[in-house]
Amino acid sequence: SGSIPDYFALPKGIGAKNLKDTPKPYPAMEEAMAMIHAMPHKTITERRDRAMVALTFVTGLRAGALTSLRLRHLDMARNVVVQDGTEMRAKNGKSFRVFWFPRTEEMQSIARDWVAELQGLGFVAGDAVFPPYTLLTMQPSGHKPIDPMRTDGALSLAFSKASERVGKDFSPHSARHCLAALGDNLCLTPERRKAWSLNLGHETEVITETHYGKMSDGRRNEVIDDLRSSEIWTEDEKDLM
């Protein structure tokens, strides 16, 4: 019988894709500011940690790149950070310039204060922006360059403690999701979306849209409800009116 092969066909459910995992949590910009405001900053180590968290949101750099920054990578006059793949722990050794993201001005101020504090201690261009706490002391003229921390564990711990103060649990990578979501709200033209995506180190907007700032089920529900309740018209309906 020609129908015999049909009896050996697997049910379609076998090959069906599973429901996607819940998007990883990330803070809104207001929550990010609340985190940073809640961080203690009496000691120099606490100020270092607060500046690390702040600069993560200002630049969107990944944890490895951020914790391996040196002062020469910062252009404070032009609000630019250079990710140098030859010197930093950058993903795939990628080098590019990051222009400080808008709506992060208060965080930028914290980063500026930290750099000024380092310079007051005698830190120079070749020194780490976020050195180990044991080296956060006055440096003599002509000192040996102070290397960055070997791992990004201090940044992860700083994020964990900061987000815990607002009742959440965010990782350093959540800052990139936060910035991607902010870009969705601010960038209403293709040119702006492309510039925002490139500033995150992505070659195309598709990468940003696919992997970052994903819409949660809760937010999707809010948007759908808003579409039901608001007087939103299609283009055809507008023409008819």
Side-chain angles (χ1 to χ4, degrees):
S1 170
S3 64
I4 287 178
D6 295 337
Y7 288 94
F8 293 92
L10 292 173
K12 291 183 178 180
I14 295 296
K17 294 183 179 180
N18 293 328
L19 186 66
K20 291 184 178 180
D21 294 335
T22 303
K24 294 181 179 180
Y26 60 88
M29 193 53 69
E30 295 77 14
E31 285 183 301
M33 278 309 315
M35 283 169 50
I36 294 171
H37 281 310
M39 295 182 74
H41 51 279
K42 290 182 179 179
T43 69
I44 191 168
T45 303
E46 289 172 344
R47 290 193 292 276
R48 181 203 66 178
D49 291 351
R50 186 175 69 149
M52 275 198 299
V53 174
L55 197 62
T56 305
F57 285 99
V58 169
T59 65
L61 288 177
R62 297 174 188 274
L66 187 106
T67 51
S68 56
L69 277 171
R70 295 179 187 266
L71 286 172
R72 62 169 166 261
H73 299 137
L74 301 179
D75 186 339
M76 308 302 287
R78 296 193 299 166
N79 296 347
V80 175
V81 174
V82 177
Q83 177 174 297
D84 187 345
T86 65
E87 293 186 331
M88 299 161 60
R89 296 192 301 273
K91 184 179 180 180
N92 300 324
K94 187 174 184 178
S95 299
F96 67 102
R97 286 180 175 80
V98 179
F99 301 94
W100 292 6
F101 282 94
R103 306 297 176 90
T104 63
E105 286 73 19
E106 195 169 348
M107 299 178 189
Q108 294 173 23
S109 179
I110 293 172
R112 290 183 190 280
D113 290 344
W114 173 247
V115 170
E117 184 170 359
L118 285 180
Q119 292 170 337
L121 290 173
F123 281 64
V124 294
D127 294 329
V129 176
F130 303 113
Y133 73 92
T134 54
L135 299 177
L136 289 171
T137 57
M138 184 67 70
Q139 300 298 319
S141 177
H143 63 271
K144 181 181 178 180
I146 298 174
D147 293 330
M149 294 179 285
R150 294 183 179 273
T151 70
D152 44 286
L155 178 61
S156 297
L157 183 59
F159 257 84
S160 178
K161 289 183 176 179
S163 57
E164 188 179 58
R165 289 176 175 270
V166 295
K168 300 294 180 67
D169 183 19
F170 298 128
S171 69
H173 203 71
S174 68
R176 292 175 60 81
H177 289 274
C178 170
L179 290 169
L182 177 64
D184 285 342
N185 292 328
L186 295 180
C187 303
L188 303 180
T189 67
E191 184 179 42
R192 289 180 179 179
R193 287 194 295 271
K194 183 173 181 62
W196 198 275
S197 183
L198 289 172
N199 215 41
L200 282 170
H202 297 153
E203 295 296 336
T204 67
E205 305 96 294
V206 175
I207 297 175
T208 308
E209 293 173 0
T210 303
H211 300 289
Y212 289 86
K214 292 184 178 180
M215 182 178 289
S216 66
D217 288 346
R219 178 56 183 157
R220 177 156 54 95
N221 186 41
E222 291 175 6
V223 172
I224 296 300
D225 279 345
D226 185 58
L227 289 172
R228 292 193 189 101
S229 61
S230 302
E231 289 191 3
I232 299 175
W233 310 97
T234 66
E235 293 302 317
D236 289 341
E237 289 169 335
K238 290 178 182 177
D239 289 341
L240 285 173
M241 287 189 288

